[in-house]
């Protein structure tokens, strides 16, 4: 990504440098003294208004209208000086709005007028503006030439302000072509000159000097980030942001926020990356800063890719690319192409990735963007190697090494060395990899989390390759530390989990090495950490203060108002009262505002963390976690945890009260997804009584359970605690069939499905609570789900003195009250999954009479997270309530824990029963009645297994479709009066 936005700040400031009346205007022969005085007075008033719009408000279109008025006035009065002045202003405003094709002829006409009429004191602003334009159009040599001329003219005229601007802009141009040392010197010179301007009271406006001090700091900050010193960059960018906020300068604040996003991304601070970019994107859209908008979209795309959300990252790159192509920004377009290439490589499409990166390389070479060219080459090296084109890969690597040596900055040295090490390891050369890593050992501590983690991982692999397993494990722990550190900065559970999944190589490698050393307890703990631990880490979520709750409610109300505004805009568009272009602009601004509010709310809702492996992962922490999990198991319980890697066999951990054992499945992770998909497709056929007898269910039993049972069996085990991973999150374990006995797994043992093993010790500390009568059941959609009415009534009866809320009585507010009462709650309704934003996945209820989002009939995940749920049991008899983003459409590489089931557990519910797929409402009613009948005598896990066995024995409902979807999670501690009179 280019730093063009910052350059724009310096050059825009040049707008006023030659246009205010700090020095007498040079008259042309056609101007009389009186005309000139009158014209000067009128134009000064117009420019005062336009400058305020331009600099203070960032209202460029309104400023442009005033400049156009000034131009017409100057032409009417025949003043070449004022005409040239106004043209310069108009050209720079067109640039600011991203219309380079319109800016170019206007700025060239202005320069011609100045040269023709010898208006020498205005030449600085023209050369500066044309240098800016050349830079943004990737004509770097022309940019350097124009900006050098601007500095020379300013020096000749003893214009310190104009000289400082020109030198700073020249520094940014040199930065783009890899002249980093000179670029820093020029930007530092700009900063010092602007400090002098402030001291002497120079500059066209009082804020001009401070504003450009901020510009210099901003550009210096981005230089530090680019050369691999992101921590230094953050400090400089924060200082720039402080300057812009003091002035104030809205456009500068927008730029600083966007570039801070880049810096925070580099240092691995995910939370602050999202926070500043949400605000920066909103500001750039409000001000019509198209190029800045594209830059912010690119940074967001990088962050979503780092977090593992490839779909969202591609969408953002596409948005950015459209803007860059529209503006003719070829270098930025090339960078977007490389970003997309990296994503397709992550997704395994090397053909498309190679094509995209070659296209990016051609674009950057033509533009002379050497820094970007290097990173294109490094990606191409790895793609060629993956395609077994070793000779071409070696050639590209040689080019990259030569270019890196020429650029010779930390970021390029590290990136080249990491690629070289990966190449060596692929060819089983441990010495080659270690040699490359040793060359950049002193550079690594300050290049950011990604480089640090990867370098440690590569070193661990090299040491393992040469047989030094103990040292390899030490490096493996060191590689895990920065990954865990960054993972804990994500405020979104979804992104925390997908990030951990995307960084899965670190966990898998360390786990594998620990297994090789026979350190099974530590290996289990590392595998468990790969799940994201989102639910377990937040079960002890501290309740927010009243002030925080009030602030959260204000955010929710603001969101409701924005949604209403979007609806109104869409209505106006449908009625023809808004032009299509205006409609798109309005909707885009409102949706951006809504996204920002969502991000703020999510940050509040998920801002608390617990200790686990988080912090600095060590063998001692891992051993302690394994000990805690074992101690939490009773004598009739065992825990089976799975680890699914992209390649290699699925790893199975068996945890008993006395030991941790590990087994290798005969099935590899990459072939598991198709089997799980087939199993789900078969089992979702409600009338196929033989679906459960398909070989896929015995095959999955052999792959996932037989390796364990051959060694241990299930004798004496009443409850199997399953901790799935990856695609196994979507597998109905209850329906796996033992090929020997022909029985389903649930016929022999009760099943409890947990998101992570680390959650078990937290739950085990709870004490059973007495559950009295008076539970609640809800059926808000009787027309759509007629069977839900019978279900709700039957549940109310089974709960003894329970209450059934039907139709319009089943409001969201009523459900909230029931969840807080401490009695069981049963909800028979639809669940609407939101794949794009899981925090907005919801349970459909009836809208009530209360004002605000607490009674609108949409109980969303984000709202559940803020509740104080005291229910000992929440039964979600809906559609896919246990699944997250990927359940209904595709399989995610990690578990989607920001779901309704997990949200209720996190909010305080002791036990959850939820479904993996939509259940016909008649079968759901029968199942619920049988479950609650058993619940009067047993715990939720035992009651669920008993109800499933009842359904298996009933010919009408024996198809797995009717019973296999139900899963139980929670502490399984449940005491009713019937159980303990």
């Amino acid at each position: 990504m280019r730093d063009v936005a910052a350059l724009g700040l310096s050059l825009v400031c040049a707008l006023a440098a030659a246009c205010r009346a700090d020095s007498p205007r040079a008259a042309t022969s056609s101007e009389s003294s009186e005309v000139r005085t009158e014209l000067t007075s009128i134009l000064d008033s117009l420019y005062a208004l336009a400058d305020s719009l331009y600099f203070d408000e960032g209202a460029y279109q309104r400023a442009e209208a005033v400049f156009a008025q000034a131009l017409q006035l100057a032409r009417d009065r025949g003043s070449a000086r004022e005409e040239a002045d106004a043209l310069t202003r108009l050209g720079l405003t067109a640039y600011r709005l991203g219309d380079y094709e319109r800016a170019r002829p206007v700025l060239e006409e202005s320069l011609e007028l100045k040269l023709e009429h010898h208006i020498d004191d205005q030449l600085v602003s023209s050369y500066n503006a044309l240098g800016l334009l050349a830079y943004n159009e990737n004509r770097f040599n022309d940019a350097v030439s124009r900006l050098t001329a601007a500095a020379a003219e300013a020096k000749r005229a003893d214009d310190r302000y104009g000289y400082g601007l020109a030198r700073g802009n020249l520094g940014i141009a040199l930065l783009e072509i890899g002249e980093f040392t000179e670029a820093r010197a020029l930007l530092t010179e700009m900063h010092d000159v602007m400090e002098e301007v402030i001291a002497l009271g120079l500059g066209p406006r009082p804020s001009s000097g401070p504003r450009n001090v901020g510009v210099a700091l901003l550009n210096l900050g981005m230089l530090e980030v680019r050369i691999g010193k992101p921590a230094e960059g953050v400090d400089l960018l924060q200082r720039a942001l402080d300057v812009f906020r003091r002035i104030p300068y809205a456009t500068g604040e927008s730029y600083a926020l966007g570039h801070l996003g880049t810096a925070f991304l580099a240092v691995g601070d995910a939370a602050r990356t999202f926070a500043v970019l949400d605000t920066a994107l909103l500001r750039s859209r409000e001000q019509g800063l198209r190029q800045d908008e594209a830059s912010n979209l690119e940074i967001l795309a990088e962050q979503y890719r780092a977090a593992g959300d490839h779909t969202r990252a591609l969408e953002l790159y596409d948005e950015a690319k459209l803007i860059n192509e529209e503006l003719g920004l070829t270098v930025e377009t090339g960078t977007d192409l490389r970003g997309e290439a990296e994503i397709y490589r992550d997704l395994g499409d090397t053909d498309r990735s190679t094509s995209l990166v070659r296209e990016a390389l051609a674009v950057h070479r033509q533009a002379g963007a050497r820094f970007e060219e290097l990173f294109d080459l490094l990606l191409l090296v790895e793609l060629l190697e993956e395609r077994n084109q070793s000779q071409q890969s070696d050639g590209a690597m040689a080019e990259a090494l030569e270019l890196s040596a020429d650029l010779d900055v930390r970021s390029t040295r590290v990136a080249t060395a990491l690629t070289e090490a990966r190449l060596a390891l692929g060819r089983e050369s441990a010495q080659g990899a270690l040699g490359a890593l040793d060359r950049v050992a002193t550079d690594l501590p300050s290049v950011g989390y990604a480089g640090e983690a990867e370098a440690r991982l590569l070193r661990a692999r090299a040491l393992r390759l040469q047989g030094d397993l103990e040292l390899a494990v030490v490096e493996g722990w060191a590689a895990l530390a920065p990954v865990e550190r960054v993972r804990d900065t994500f405020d979104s559970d979804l992104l925390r989990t997908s990030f951990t999944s995307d960084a899965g190589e670190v966990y898998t490698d360390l786990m594998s090495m620990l297994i090789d050393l026979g350190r099974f307890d530590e290996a289990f703990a590392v595998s468990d950490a790969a799940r994201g631990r989102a639910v377990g880490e937040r079960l002890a979520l501290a309740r927010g203060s009243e002030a925080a709750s009030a602030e959260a409610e204000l955010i929710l109300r603001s969101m409701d108002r924005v949604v209403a505004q979007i609806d109104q805009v869409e209505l106006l568009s449908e009625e023809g009262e808004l032009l299509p272009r205006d409609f798109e602009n309005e909707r885009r601004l409102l949706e951006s505002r809504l996204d920002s509010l969502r991000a703020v709310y999510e940050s509040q809702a998920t801002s608390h963390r617990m200790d686990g492996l988080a912090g600095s992962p060590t063998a001692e922490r891992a051993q302690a976690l394994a000990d805690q999990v074992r101690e939490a198991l009773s004598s009739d319980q065992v825990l089976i945890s799975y680890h699914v890697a992209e390649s290699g066999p699925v790893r199975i951990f068996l945890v008993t009260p006395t030991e941790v054992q590990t087994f290798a499945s005969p099935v590899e992770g990459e072939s598991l997804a198709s089997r799980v998909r087939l199993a789900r497709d078969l089992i979702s056929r409600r009338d196929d009584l033989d679906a459960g007898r398909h070989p896929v269910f015995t095959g999955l039993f052999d792959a996932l359970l037989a390796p364990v049972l051959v060694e241990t069996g299930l004798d004496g085990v009443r409850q199997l605690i399953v901790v799935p991973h990856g695609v196994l999150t979507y597998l109905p374990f209850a329906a796996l069939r033992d090929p020997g006995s022909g029985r389903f797994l649930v016929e022999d043992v009760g099943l409890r499905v947990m998101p992570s093993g680390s959650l078990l010790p937290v739950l085990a500390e709870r004490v059973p609570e007495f559950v009295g009568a008076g539970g609640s059941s809800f059926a808000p959609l009787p027309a759509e789900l007629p069977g839900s009415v019978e279900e709700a009534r039957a549940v109310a009866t089974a709960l003894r003195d329970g209450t059934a809320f039907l139709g319009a009585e089943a409001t969201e507010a009523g459900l909230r009250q029931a969840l807080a009462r401490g009695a069981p709650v049963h909800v028979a309704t639809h669940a609407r999954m939101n794949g794009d934003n899981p925090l907005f996945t919801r349970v459909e209820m009836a809208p009530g009479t209360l004002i605000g989002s607490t009674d609108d009939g949409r109980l969303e995940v984000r709202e559940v997270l803020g509740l104080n749920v005291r229910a000992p049991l929440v039964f979600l008899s809906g559609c896919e309530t246990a699944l997250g983003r990927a359940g209904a459409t595709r399989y995610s590489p990690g578990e989607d824990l920001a779901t309704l089931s997990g949200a209720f557990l996190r909010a305080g519910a002791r036990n959850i029963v939820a479904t993996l797929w939509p259940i016909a409402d008649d079968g759901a009613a029968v199942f619920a009645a049988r479950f609650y009948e058993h619940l009067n005598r047993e715990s939720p896990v035992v009651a669920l297994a008993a109800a499933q066995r009842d359904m298996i024995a009933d010919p009408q409902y024996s198809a797995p479709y009717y019973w296999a979807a139900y899963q139980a999670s929670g502490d399984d501690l449940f005491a009713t009066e019937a159980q303990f009179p």
Side-chain angles (χ1 to χ4, degrees):
M1 186 175 355
R2 294 259 312 284
D3 307 320
V4 293
L7 172 63
L9 283 175
S10 296
L11 288 167
V12 166
C13 293
L15 173 68
C19 301
R20 303 298 296 155
D22 300 299
S23 59
R25 284 187 170 87
T28 62
S29 59
S30 60
E31 294 180 82
S32 69
S33 175
E34 294 79 6
V35 169
R36 188 167 65 253
T37 301
E38 178 191 5
L39 181 60
T40 298
S41 177
I42 296 172
L43 289 176
D44 279 349
S45 298
L46 287 174
Y47 290 153
L49 170 61
D51 285 353
S52 177
L53 292 169
Y54 194 109
F55 290 109
D56 301 334
E57 300 181 33
Y60 299 111
Q61 290 177 327
R62 292 164 61 195
E64 184 179 38
V66 179
F67 290 145
Q69 185 179 354
L71 175 62
Q72 189 59 51
L73 181 61
R75 284 175 171 170
D76 289 344
R77 298 295 178 91
S79 172
R81 161 179 280 279
E82 300 300 352
E83 181 180 355
D85 189 346
L87 283 168
T88 301
R89 293 171 178 269
L90 273 172
L92 281 168
T93 309
Y95 151 74
R96 174 57 62 214
L97 292 169
D99 193 344
Y100 299 150
E101 290 188 6
R102 184 160 57 93
R104 191 182 311 113
V106 172
L107 290 172
E108 288 175 349
E109 181 183 357
S110 174
L111 179 60
E112 289 174 6
L113 271 173
K114 293 173 184 180
L115 292 172
E116 178 183 351
H117 293 278
H118 304 288
I119 310 172
D120 296 339
D121 60 318
Q122 287 191 18
L123 289 175
V124 174
S125 61
S126 281
Y127 286 131
N128 253 323
L130 286 165
L132 163 67
L133 196 60
Y135 175 89
N136 283 278
E137 292 179 327
N138 306 313
R139 295 180 286 110
F140 299 127
N141 291 334
D142 190 18
V144 170
S145 174
R146 296 285 193 176
L147 294 169
T148 301
E153 286 292 335
K155 187 173 184 179
R156 183 188 59 77
D158 197 24
D159 176 3
R160 293 293 290 164
Y161 180 78
Y163 179 79
L165 288 175
R167 297 289 280 177
N169 292 332
L170 180 58
I172 294 297
L174 292 175
L175 169 62
E176 189 57 43
I177 60 177
E179 300 292 343
F180 301 113
T181 302
E182 189 168 355
R184 179 187 283 104
L186 289 168
L187 289 168
T188 302
E189 184 179 4
M190 175 188 178
H191 177 273
D192 295 344
V193 169
M194 290 304 161
E195 291 282 12
E196 179 186 333
V197 165
I198 295 171
L200 297 176
L202 303 177
R205 308 179 80 218
S207 62
S208 297
R211 183 171 58 248
N212 286 288
V213 166
V215 169
L217 290 170
L218 186 148
N219 288 323
L220 282 166
M222 286 313 302
L223 186 152
E224 298 298 342
V225 173
R226 174 166 286 204
I227 66 173
K229 297 181 179 180
E232 291 89 334
V234 167
D235 179 64
L236 289 161
L237 291 166
Q238 289 279 22
R239 289 168 58 192
L241 181 62
D242 291 342
V243 170
F244 295 141
R245 283 176 170 168
R246 282 198 305 268
I247 297 175
Y249 183 29
T251 302
E253 184 179 349
S254 175
Y255 286 136
L257 287 168
H259 290 309
L260 268 171
T262 303
F264 286 140
L265 178 62
V267 298
D269 193 333
R272 286 201 287 178
T273 298
F274 281 116
V276 298
L277 286 177
D278 278 334
T279 304
L281 188 58
L282 177 63
R283 297 279 174 82
S284 61
R285 284 172 170 170
E286 287 175 341
Q287 297 175 47
L289 304 175
R290 299 283 284 155
Q291 186 173 346
D292 189 39
E293 178 184 351
S295 177
N296 291 329
L297 288 168
E298 289 162 352
I299 305 168
L300 272 172
E302 290 180 46
Q303 182 69 342
Y304 275 100
R305 178 191 169 234
D309 191 342
H310 300 110
T311 300
R312 182 59 179 148
L314 284 172
E315 290 171 354
L316 291 165
Y317 272 127
D318 281 341
E319 289 184 55
K321 192 164 60 175
L322 284 173
I323 296 173
N324 287 326
E325 288 173 347
E326 177 187 326
L327 298 180
L329 301 176
T330 56
V331 172
E332 287 80 0
T333 301
T335 306
D336 295 336
L337 288 168
R338 187 178 67 235
E340 291 179 342
E342 290 170 335
I343 293 172
Y344 281 111
R345 184 196 180 199
D346 292 342
L347 296 173
D349 191 344
T350 56
D351 289 343
R352 188 166 187 182
S353 181
T354 303
S355 175
L356 285 166
V357 77
R358 286 189 184 280
E359 190 177 345
L361 180 60
V363 167
H364 289 143
R365 278 180 169 164
Q366 184 175 3
R370 300 165 72 231
F371 189 84
E372 303 296 348
E373 178 187 348
L374 173 66
F375 287 92
D376 297 336
L377 280 169
L378 294 176
L379 178 56
L380 182 60
V381 165
E382 302 210 39
L383 287 166
L384 291 170
E385 190 71 8
E386 289 173 19
R387 293 159 63 94
N388 296 316
Q389 296 173 309
S390 299
Q391 188 173 355
Q392 293 183 46
S393 176
D394 287 340
M397 189 72 239
E399 289 184 64
L401 286 166
E402 183 179 351
L403 183 54
S404 177
D406 192 21
L407 293 169
D408 194 29
V409 292
R410 183 181 302 169
S411 59
T412 58
R413 289 195 300 267
V414 170
T416 305
L418 292 177
T419 301
E420 195 177 0
R422 286 192 294 270
L423 204 63
L425 284 173
R427 298 175 182 182
E428 298 191 349
S429 172
Q431 288 302 315
L434 292 171
L437 295 170
D438 287 342
R439 286 204 315 271
V440 294
T442 57
D443 291 326
L444 286 172
S446 57
V447 296
Y449 79 92
E452 179 186 355
E454 184 172 7
R456 293 285 193 176
L457 177 62
L458 293 174
R459 186 174 291 278
R461 288 176 175 174
L463 291 168
R464 186 182 191 180
L465 182 60
Q466 63 182 25
D468 199 339
L469 198 54
E470 292 284 356
L471 268 181
V473 166
V474 172
E475 289 293 333
W477 281 114
L480 186 58
V483 172
E484 287 279 305
R485 190 166 62 245
V486 174
R487 188 191 63 81
D488 283 341
T489 72
F490 282 103
D491 285 331
S492 162
D493 277 348
L494 178 71
L495 290 180
R496 286 158 61 84
T497 302
S498 56
F499 167 78
T500 306
S501 175
D502 233 34
E505 285 185 324
V506 179
Y507 296 88
T508 300
D509 275 38
L510 179 56
M511 178 197 73
S512 176
M513 290 185 289
L514 288 167
I515 289 172
D516 288 348
L517 287 173
R519 291 156 62 172
F520 299 151
D521 285 19
E522 295 172 50
F524 161 69
V526 170
S527 170
D528 198 67
R531 270 158 253 280
R533 306 193 315 280
V535 175
E537 290 180 350
R538 290 176 172 76
L539 268 179
L541 180 69
R543 298 297 167 192
S545 65
E546 291 184 8
S549 299
E551 185 178 352
E553 180 60 28
L554 287 175
I555 296 172
L556 292 176
R557 290 181 183 178
S558 297
M559 291 167 67
D560 288 337
R561 285 195 296 271
V562 176
V563 170
Q565 289 173 327
I566 292 173
D567 292 341
Q568 181 64 25
V569 167
E570 289 178 346
L571 178 63
L572 291 173
S573 176
E574 290 172 2
E575 295 176 351
E577 296 185 30
L578 267 181
L579 294 174
R581 183 180 64 181
D582 295 334
F583 164 66
E584 289 297 331
N585 290 337
E586 288 290 330
R587 186 179 66 175
R588 186 173 60 192
L589 287 174
L590 289 170
E591 288 178 345
S592 177
R593 175 63 176 158
L594 185 60
D595 286 343
S596 295
L597 288 168
R598 285 174 175 173
V600 173
Y601 183 90
E602 180 179 345
S603 179
Q604 282 196 351
T606 59
S607 60
H608 301 277
R609 299 183 176 89
M610 291 177 59
D611 289 332
L613 269 183
S616 299
T618 62
E620 290 75 18
R621 283 175 177 264
Q623 182 64 58
L625 176 62
D627 291 342
Q628 291 168 8
V629 173
R630 282 201 308 271
E631 291 167 5
L633 292 168
S634 62
S635 60
D636 61 353
Q637 295 176 329
V638 297
L639 181 146
I640 296 183
S641 179
Y642 296 91
H643 188 98
V644 182
E646 290 186 10
S647 61
V650 174
R651 178 60 60 173
I652 307 169
F653 291 93
L654 173 67
V655 186
T656 70
T658 58
E659 64 179 336
V660 175
Q661 299 179 62
T662 184
F663 307 87
S665 168
V667 174
E668 302 234 337
E670 58 189 10
S671 67
L672 195 60
S674 59
R675 298 190 185 198
V676 172
R677 187 180 298 280
L678 175 60
R680 281 179 56 90
D681 288 346
L682 288 168
I683 217 167
S684 62
R685 303 170 187 172
R686 66 182 289 183
D687 298 323
D688 189 350
L689 299 179
D690 294 325
R693 300 185 183 279
H694 191 280
V696 71
F697 295 100
T698 54
L700 285 168
F701 186 98
D702 283 340
L704 302 174
L705 293 168
V708 175
L709 300 182
V710 166
E711 297 290 331
T712 63
L714 290 176
D715 293 340
V717 176
R718 295 183 67 245
Q719 186 179 118
L720 184 62
I721 301 171
V722 177
V723 182
H725 183 218
V727 67
L728 294 178
T729 307
Y730 312 114
L731 178 67
F733 277 84
L736 301 188
R737 185 186 287 271
D738 186 336
S741 66
R743 292 166 62 83
F744 292 111
L745 179 61
V746 75
E747 294 184 84
D748 295 321
V749 68
L751 293 169
R752 181 159 44 138
V753 178
M754 303 295 286
S756 74
S758 61
L759 177 57
L760 197 63
V762 180
L763 297 178
E765 293 177 359
R766 294 176 171 181
V767 177
E769 292 182 1
F770 177 77
V771 180
S776 306
S777 61
F778 295 82
L781 305 174
E784 295 180 49
L785 301 171
S788 66
V789 174
E790 178 189 345
E791 179 181 347
R793 286 173 175 158
V795 169
T797 301
L799 289 172
R800 294 181 306 110
D801 299 326
T803 304
F805 298 91
L806 310 176
E809 295 179 347
T811 63
E812 179 186 347
L815 175 58
R816 287 170 177 262
Q817 292 170 5
L819 290 168
R821 273 199 293 265
V825 175
H826 184 100
V827 186
T829 186
H830 281 312
R832 306 293 184 189
M833 309 310 295
N834 188 325
D836 292 327
N837 197 328
L839 284 176
F840 286 76
T841 287
R842 67 183 186 270
V843 173
E844 294 281 6
M845 302 300 294
T849 57
L850 299 179
I851 298 174
S853 62
T854 60
D855 202 22
D856 61 6
R858 300 154 56 99
L859 182 61
E860 296 167 331
V861 164
R862 65 178 178 85
E863 297 175 299
V864 173
L865 296 175
L867 297 179
N868 184 6
V869 177
R870 298 183 58 244
L873 170 70
V874 177
F875 194 125
L876 300 172
S877 181
C879 303
E880 300 180 300
T881 48
L883 283 189
R885 170 179 192 149
T889 53
R890 62 178 177 82
Y891 291 127
S892 168
E895 312 91 332
D896 298 336
L897 298 177
T899 63
L900 287 165
S901 177
F904 278 105
L905 196 63
R906 280 175 45 192
R910 298 181 68 101
N911 293 278
I912 307 290
V913 175
T915 52
L916 285 170
W917 57 77
I919 306 296
D921 56 352
D922 56 337
V926 173
F927 187 93
R930 294 181 177 178
F931 169 77
Y932 285 103
E933 180 183 348
H934 290 291
L935 191 66
N936 282 324
R937 301 182 297 274
E938 304 287 355
S939 72
V941 170
V942 176
L944 183 67
Q948 290 173 314
R949 292 163 193 160
D950 288 348
M951 299 291 274
I952 293 171
D954 186 334
Q956 186 176 355
Y957 299 109
S958 62
Y961 165 83
Y962 290 103
W963 53 265
Y966 295 92
Q967 287 189 163
S969 297
D971 60 21
D972 199 35
L973 301 174
F974 197 84
T976 67
E977 185 176 349
Q979 294 172 33
F980 302 99

